Amino acid sequence: MMDTFVMRHLPALLIATPLFAAFLMPLVGSLGPKVRSAWVFLGALATAAVGLALAGKVLATGTVIYVFGAAIPQQTLPPDAAFPIRIMFQVDALSALMVVIASLSSLGIAIYSLAAESKQSGLETFYAMLFLLIAGVLGMVATGDLFNFFVFLEISSLAGAALVAYRVDDGVAVEAGLKYALLSTVGALAVLTAIGILFAQYNALNLATLASRLQFTALDQVALVLLVVPLAMKCGAVPMHFWTPDTYTTAPSSVTAFLVVSSQASLYGLFRILFTLYGHLVQFSWATFGWFLIVLGVLSMFVGVTMAIPQKDVKRLMAYHAVSQTGYMLLGVGVGLAVLGDAAALAQYGKTAMAGGLFHVINHAMYKGLLFLTAGAVFYRAGTRNLNKLGGLGHDMPWTMVFFMIGALAIAGVPPFNGFASKLLIYESVFRFSPFLSIVAMIVSILTLASFVKVFHSMFLGPRRAEFAAVREVPAPMLAGMALLAVFVVAAGLAPQ
């Protein structure tokens, strides 16, 4: 009976679990650091368990629809409802994949943070905000309602801004947090305006209902721009990427790793808008918006990697590589969107390009999160992120070095790691669309590999340095968090199907 009840309400539990953990965090934290750490671990473990169970249910039964407040939650809202507003979750295969990413990442990052942040003060607030960020991201990828997507986007943005500014860092972190909050607020205002335009015309907020009523009027086109631009900014696409280096560099590494997942959730929202909401319209210019994503993707790849190469701060370097990797996702999905009106091209390579782009979303969240955690581990022991001041750490931090190698080889697209699996799909399909674009993508991967070879050499190779004579491997929780993400990176590369 209990199993049936839990399985029926998994979508609600997906949000309720991290919210409950966040709500009780101040009370639990007052009982001592050991009780607080246990609560953080249990909250993250329960969230991951619910996420995996929900994904398993979707895999077994198909799309899961859940209406909050309905007598039978699995029933959809009646079309003649007096007031067609209800919190509705609609979890399909793509949503389930994003839920798995966020759930597993949150577990690994929470375990890592138990040691990484143990020396900081105000940890009750830190973990409350972290669980709010997790709830916001999970809500963004699970909801089937446009307004509730905005609500969860705001939750994740505000919690993310607070976490970015958490360490203060002589005001540098506060400045980065304010920048993130300001841009997120402006972007959310544009999203809310677009939602108001659509609701005023069609008296609906549910994505499926809106898609069935959309007529692609001039107002609909304005709403499309107001939705696409801020979501492209939130995922760090060039030329709207300028918040990314400051935010990713100054935030604690455990926060940065999950902000990557948050940016992928915004990318998911962008794809939902273009395909689920507007993609069926005959009047919709698929090629135009496909090329829009392709141009954003190529710019992001090229600008990101060229800005990363000269960086001396390892986290800032990784932040620019995050921008570069977002370009691969935009390129793959953009090619699929560009040929959406050509059935033959769509069947031959369009679907493969989209699959590669979406697969890269999953892979990037894992290997980039792993890389940021390794950077945090180096800073935890060495006390600096400056590559010119590092060296020889591989002697005393062998596991951190191994995890860094796994993440670096994955981001560069070297087999058999997961980055290669998704990039290969993108290379092959994009080559059939435009050989030039495929060559650009390969060149960016070569430059990425060269950049991370430099980082690996600067941090881990060479003789032991006198100033790091007392350095030793990071605590077990940090290693466990990195290991969880590393296992996924390897497993998804060995068995990409």
Side-chain angles (χ1 to χ4, degrees):
M1 179 69 72
M2 181 58 69
D3 288 345
T4 304
F5 176 83
V6 170
M7 292 302 291
R8 186 186 309 138
H9 295 285
L10 281 174
L13 290 172
L14 184 69
I15 304 302
T17 304
L19 286 180
F20 183 68
F23 180 74
L24 287 186
M25 189 58 66
L27 176 62
V28 174
S30 66
L31 301 177
K34 291 185 178 180
V35 177
R36 181 189 62 226
S37 296
W39 182 252
V40 171
F41 175 73
L42 289 175
L45 184 63
T47 301
V50 171
L52 292 174
L54 179 57
K57 184 177 181 179
V58 172
L59 186 64
T61 64
T63 301
V64 173
I65 296 175
Y66 187 93
V67 183
F68 288 77
I72 305 176
Q74 279 67 38
Q75 289 184 349
T76 58
L77 195 65
D80 57 347
F83 198 58
I85 296 178
R86 189 76 63 89
I87 300 176
M88 180 184 290
F89 278 13
Q90 192 162 341
V91 186
D92 59 12
L94 179 57
S95 305
L97 280 173
M98 297 299 297
V99 166
V100 169
I101 297 169
S103 301
L104 287 179
S105 297
S106 65
L107 177 59
I109 290 164
I111 294 171
Y112 176 97
S113 70
L114 292 177
E117 304 302 325
S118 60
K119 300 175 183 177
Q120 303 294 325
S121 60
L123 286 174
E124 292 80 13
T125 303
F126 174 84
Y127 283 116
M129 290 296 105
L130 182 60
F131 277 112
L132 279 178
L133 177 60
I134 293 168
V137 170
L138 289 171
M140 286 171 65
V141 301
T143 185
D145 182 282
L146 201 54
F147 182 76
N148 289 307
F149 176 84
F150 159 77
V151 171
F152 287 117
L153 176 68
E154 277 289 81
I155 291 173
S156 65
S157 297
L158 293 174
L163 288 167
V164 170
Y166 163 67
R167 284 183 177 168
V168 183
D169 195 16
D170 294 328
V172 176
V174 175
E175 180 185 347
L178 286 172
K179 181 184 291 186
Y180 182 71
L182 176 62
L183 291 173
S184 297
T185 302
V186 172
L189 181 61
V191 170
L192 184 61
T193 303
I195 294 170
I197 290 172
L198 294 175
F199 181 70
Q201 291 184 94
Y202 304 112
N203 194 37
L205 293 169
N206 179 267
L207 279 169
T209 306
L210 275 173
S212 67
R213 299 178 183 177
L214 217 60
Q215 299 173 11
F216 208 55
T217 62
L219 281 176
D220 294 342
Q221 295 172 45
V222 171
L224 175 61
V225 174
L226 290 174
L227 288 167
V228 165
V229 172
L231 290 176
M233 181 271 293
K234 285 284 288 182
C235 73
V238 172
M240 297 157 287
H241 67 294
F242 42 86
W243 63 271
T244 311
D246 288 348
T247 300
Y248 284 6
T249 302
T250 55
S253 291
S254 48
V255 173
T256 306
F258 202 78
L259 285 177
V260 173
V261 181
S262 178
S263 70
Q264 304 312 292
S266 298
L267 193 63
Y268 163 88
L270 174 62
F271 295 158
R272 276 291 185 209
I273 296 301
L274 290 176
F275 286 92
T276 304
L277 189 56
Y278 283 86
H280 69 288
L281 293 167
V282 176
Q283 307 98 316
F284 184 68
S285 180
W286 292 304
T288 300
F289 275 91
W291 274 102
F292 171 74
L293 289 187
I294 290 169
V295 170
L296 282 185
V298 172
L299 283 174
S300 299
M301 283 191 293
F302 185 75
V303 172
V305 77
T306 52
M307 288 297 295
I309 290 173
Q311 300 300 323
K312 302 304 179 186
D313 186 310
V314 64
K315 283 190 69 179
R316 196 169 188 86
L317 178 144
M318 290 180 180
Y320 278 112
H321 278 298
V323 173
S324 178
Q325 294 303 301
T326 299
Y328 285 92
M329 309 162 207
L330 293 169
L331 175 62
V333 175
V335 168
L337 184 61
V339 300
L340 203 59
D342 185 342
L346 184 64
Q348 290 171 8
Y349 59 84
K351 290 183 178 179
T352 304
M354 281 190 278
L358 295 174
F359 190 20
H360 204 64
V361 171
I362 303 167
N363 292 337
H364 176 253
M366 292 299 176
Y367 65 62
K368 180 55 72 173
L370 175 60
L371 285 169
F372 276 121
L373 294 187
T374 59
V378 168
F379 180 72
Y380 183 84
R381 285 305 190 202
T384 180
R385 299 190 303 259
N386 191 325
L387 292 173
N388 292 336
K389 298 179 180 179
L390 292 168
L393 295 177
H395 297 284
D396 303 299
M397 303 178 69
W399 283 108
T400 300
M401 180 177 68
V402 169
F403 293 139
F404 176 86
M405 289 174 62
I406 291 173
L409 292 172
I411 194 174
V414 176
F417 302 101
N418 63 353
F420 169 76
S422 50
K423 284 187 175 182
L424 183 62
L425 292 175
I426 295 171
Y427 295 154
E428 291 179 340
S429 54
V430 171
F431 185 83
R432 301 187 68 178
F433 177 78
S434 168
F436 173 76
L437 294 176
S438 185
I439 291 170
V440 169
M442 293 178 193
I443 291 173
V444 170
S445 284
I446 294 170
L447 293 174
T448 301
L449 178 60
S451 177
F452 275 94
V453 167
K454 180 193 77 171
V455 175
F456 178 71
H457 180 272
S458 298
M459 289 200 302
F460 297 108
L461 298 186
R464 285 185 175 91
R465 299 180 65 157
E467 58 268 39
F468 301 137
V471 165
R472 60 190 186 280
E473 189 58 271
V474 293
M478 296 176 72
L479 292 177
M482 291 187 284
L484 182 62
L485 298 186
V487 166
F488 184 94
V489 170
V490 175
L494 294 175
Q497 293 82 0

